Amino acid sequence: MTQQRTRQQHDEIAHYLRTAIREGYFQPGDELPSEAELTRKFTSSRGPVRQAMSTLRTEGLISSGRGRRTVVLDNVPTQSFDDIISFSQWCHNADIVPGQRTQWVTRRPAEKSLAASLLIPDGDPVVSVFRLRLMDDVPTMVERLNYPLEVGRHVLAFDTDSGSIYQELIDQGVDISRTSRTIDAIGANEDDAALLEVPVGTPLLRVRRRAFTSAGELIESSDDRYLPWKASFTMNSTRGNPSSMALTSTHLGDV
């Protein structure tokens, strides 16, 4: 079997399983078909089946098996906490169609809190974006993106309703080397609630993200607010090589 054919079968099997889980054919707690059943269904060798199952385990959707039948753990799409990945790419990887509705894009002076977050002087120009993000045309997340002008000028020239800002920045040669994320919960304010079509105060999963160049220059400070039943995050660690996780106590208020 050629490498290309193996990859095609892996993608086909992973797509089938994700879709069946997302649409409720397999519910959390249900056993998945065995490797043998899947190889027969897709006329495949065991290699692509095992690779597809491994992919879904990494995504947090299914259990590890280990001598017993694999079961469904969750039907909410999950993004690895360790990856640098755009919302659009995450959706594509999960066989979901991403979308966006831009509310506004503006150049403005950075107020004190934003300037501190971007490590720039108060009043320095920044470019800010406020967008609603969708999964399969369903409201899922509200994002507030902020960039220093040197990076944000690329955003001003980009149609932010057309796709991934991250990908556009990369295409324009912006060096996005690493990110840090802080995850907590926050109640939906009036803007969030209107866009996500939920009552004010609905708990949202907030991901505050900062992006850096390979030289350590801070180039983004953003705030993403997800409906918690539409998305989740996973963090993988191994003994002797733990992932970094900080616990902080904060007041649950707006930013």
Side-chain angles (χ1 to χ4, degrees):
M1 181 180 292
T2 66
Q3 184 175 0
Q4 181 178 5
R5 177 56 179 158
T6 298
R7 181 64 188 178
Q8 288 173 341
Q9 288 196 322
H10 161 269
D11 291 344
E12 182 182 6
I13 297 165
H15 172 75
Y16 162 75
L17 292 173
R18 283 195 203 96
T19 302
I21 291 170
R22 187 164 66 245
E23 295 182 354
Y25 184 78
F26 297 122
Q27 296 282 347
D30 288 351
E31 293 184 344
L32 288 183
S34 67
E35 287 185 5
E37 290 170 326
L38 289 170
T39 58
R40 288 194 297 270
K41 180 178 180 65
F42 291 95
T43 317
S44 169
S45 67
R46 286 184 180 267
V49 171
R50 289 173 177 169
Q51 291 172 20
M53 300 285 265
S54 177
T55 296
L56 266 67
R57 289 187 190 105
T58 301
E59 294 172 359
L61 295 177
I62 63 175
S63 70
S64 60
R66 295 184 180 178
R68 63 186 68 180
R69 288 289 288 269
T70 299
V71 300
V72 176
L73 298 177
D74 205 343
N75 55 11
V76 176
T78 183
Q79 180 180 154
S80 171
F81 191 78
D82 307 307
D83 289 341
I84 298 175
I85 191 169
S86 73
F87 176 88
S88 296
Q89 188 58 54
W90 171 48
C91 288
H92 288 310
N93 290 351
D95 299 315
I96 295 168
V97 178
Q100 49 279 320
R101 297 176 190 161
T102 302
Q103 306 305 300
W104 45 257
V105 180
T106 187
R107 171 179 168 169
R108 60 188 174 119
E111 75 277 8
K112 186 176 181 179
S113 61
L114 179 56
S117 179
L118 285 169
L119 302 180
I120 59 177
D122 294 2
D124 266 19
V126 295
V127 174
S128 299
V129 182
F130 184 40
R131 290 197 300 181
L132 172 67
R133 304 308 303 269
L134 305 102
M135 298 169 68
D136 289 336
D137 208 33
V138 176
T140 298
M141 182 262 282
V142 175
E143 65 182 2
R144 295 164 170 86
L145 312 174
N146 301 286
Y147 307 95
L149 183 59
E150 180 59 27
V151 174
R153 62 187 176 85
H154 300 295
V155 179
L156 290 173
F158 177 61
D159 177 3
T160 54
D161 273 344
S162 68
S164 171
I165 292 176
Y166 250 39
Q167 189 59 54
E168 174 64 14
L169 293 177
I170 291 170
D171 291 345
Q172 293 297 327
V174 176
D175 173 16
I176 303 176
S177 177
R178 65 181 179 89
T179 64
S180 67
R181 296 183 179 97
T182 301
I183 298 182
D184 61 5
I186 189 170
N189 64 22
E190 290 186 0
D191 290 337
D192 300 332
L195 291 172
L196 294 170
E197 301 173 7
V198 295
V200 172
T202 297
L204 303 178
L205 177 67
R206 179 170 63 172
V207 181
R208 286 174 286 176
R209 183 181 63 255
R210 302 170 89 199
F212 301 83
T213 67
S214 54
E217 180 184 2
L218 183 57
I219 56 173
E220 177 191 8
S221 177
S222 298
D223 178 317
D224 301 337
R225 303 181 185 188
Y226 293 83
L227 292 171
W229 55 88
K230 299 295 294 183
S232 64
F233 286 77
T234 61
M235 183 174 66
N236 299 301
S237 60
T238 58
R239 182 181 298 175
N241 186 29
S243 296
S244 174
M245 184 178 227
L247 299 179
T248 59
S249 175
T250 58
H251 175 68
L252 202 65
D254 198 359
V255 296

